[in-house]
Amino acid sequence: MEVRLESSWKELLKDEFEKSYFKDLAEFVRQEYQSGTVYPPPKFIFNALDSLPVDQVKVIILGQDPYHGPGQAHGLSFSVPDGIKPPPSLQNIYKEIETDLGHPHHASGNLDRWVKQGVLLLNATLTVRANQAGSHQNKGWETFTDAIIHELANKKDHLVFILWGNYAQKKGSFIDPNKHLVLKSPHPSPFSAHSGFFDSRPFSQTNRYLIELGQTPIEW
């Protein structure tokens, strides 16, 4: 697997790339791309990291799997490329932004504009077989993305971690809430959004925290 990665991440994670689990993962992923359809396209596997240097990260939103439908996944959790209809979870995220901040939602589901402002959109698993949700879980990606979260949580101060749903909350359970702002709510999926995601107001809470730190708030 070609690790196309912005230099600060390459330095931060250099030890991970040498571990046996990552070498096994790389071989598994290489074979998967050769033998069938896998998302996202290879150049976007590390898009979340490659698009945002470590020192610019202010907010982390954890997802689970890439989207597994054609044209949807491009390496940013919850995001889809321009021209692709926003999936239901993202539609609900947009509804919450409108309620929380009074902003009309964007027509595009491409969240690259958030990344440019310091939002790391990180999935726990960075690849998936077409039309097979969860097909690349428990192959090593979770260990790799755990390492990313540990490095950020331990080496940086005053980050915002947005953990939607039980999976993300379990993955981020070690994060020190006295050192960082940790926002938890149900997942924005249609199956759970009405159980507490709506009216959780993560976007205004994030911006208040950033402003208190003297940082520029996110234009959601």
Side-chain angles (χ1 to χ4, degrees):
M1 181 182 2
E2 177 189 355
V3 181
R4 178 192 167 188
L5 210 52
E6 191 275 333
S7 59
S8 62
W9 287 107
K10 216 159 198 177
E11 175 63 24
L12 188 72
L13 300 169
K14 60 184 179 183
D15 291 343
E16 293 302 307
F17 296 129
E18 297 304 317
K19 292 180 179 178
S20 59
Y21 88 84
F22 191 87
K23 293 178 180 179
D24 291 343
L25 169 65
E27 178 60 21
F28 166 77
V29 170
R30 185 184 67 80
Q31 291 182 6
E32 285 287 284
Y33 274 95
Q34 287 182 345
S35 61
T37 302
V38 176
Y39 299 126
K43 66 179 180 179
F44 289 132
I45 293 174
F46 296 101
N47 193 20
L49 305 180
D50 199 40
S51 302
L52 182 63
V54 173
D55 64 356
Q56 294 180 22
V57 175
K58 299 194 289 189
V59 181
I60 298 94
I61 300 179
L62 287 182
Q64 191 165 352
D65 266 10
Y67 295 121
H68 54 82
Q72 292 180 309
H74 66 140
L76 307 176
S77 62
F78 296 101
S79 178
V80 291
D82 291 318
I84 300 295
K85 181 182 177 181
S89 290
L90 182 54
Q91 292 180 34
N92 286 336
I93 290 169
Y94 280 174
K95 289 176 184 176
E96 179 60 17
I97 291 173
E98 193 161 0
T99 300
D100 190 5
L101 301 174
H103 297 171
H105 65 79
H106 286 262
S108 172
N110 190 338
L111 303 180
D112 184 60
R113 62 185 180 276
W114 293 3
V115 177
K116 292 175 180 176
Q117 299 176 76
V119 182
L120 179 65
L121 296 171
L122 182 67
N123 278 318
T125 303
L126 300 189
T127 54
V128 68
R129 280 184 208 147
N131 306 312
Q132 295 184 46
S135 51
H136 285 187
Q137 290 177 4
N138 303 314
K139 301 296 183 181
W141 279 130
E142 294 90 343
T143 303
F144 179 69
T145 51
D146 279 350
I148 293 170
I149 299 164
H150 273 279
E151 291 286 348
L152 291 172
N154 292 337
K155 293 186 177 179
K156 293 175 71 79
D157 295 317
H158 306 303
L159 296 173
V160 181
F161 288 88
I162 298 177
L163 309 178
W164 289 327
N166 292 333
Y167 184 90
Q169 288 164 27
K170 183 177 180 181
K171 191 171 180 69
S173 61
F174 64 88
I175 299 165
D176 184 355
N178 297 310
K179 187 179 180 184
H180 305 285
L181 178 63
V182 181
L183 300 176
K184 301 178 182 179
S185 81
H187 195 276
S189 159
F191 300 107
S192 55
H194 290 280
S195 301
F197 172 77
F198 289 133
D199 294 321
S200 61
R201 301 188 179 273
F203 308 103
S204 61
Q205 291 186 72
T206 295
N207 281 353
R208 266 197 308 274
Y209 185 73
L210 294 174
I211 290 168
E212 287 170 3
L213 295 171
Q215 299 186 30
T216 305
I218 307 298
E219 291 185 15
W220 299 102

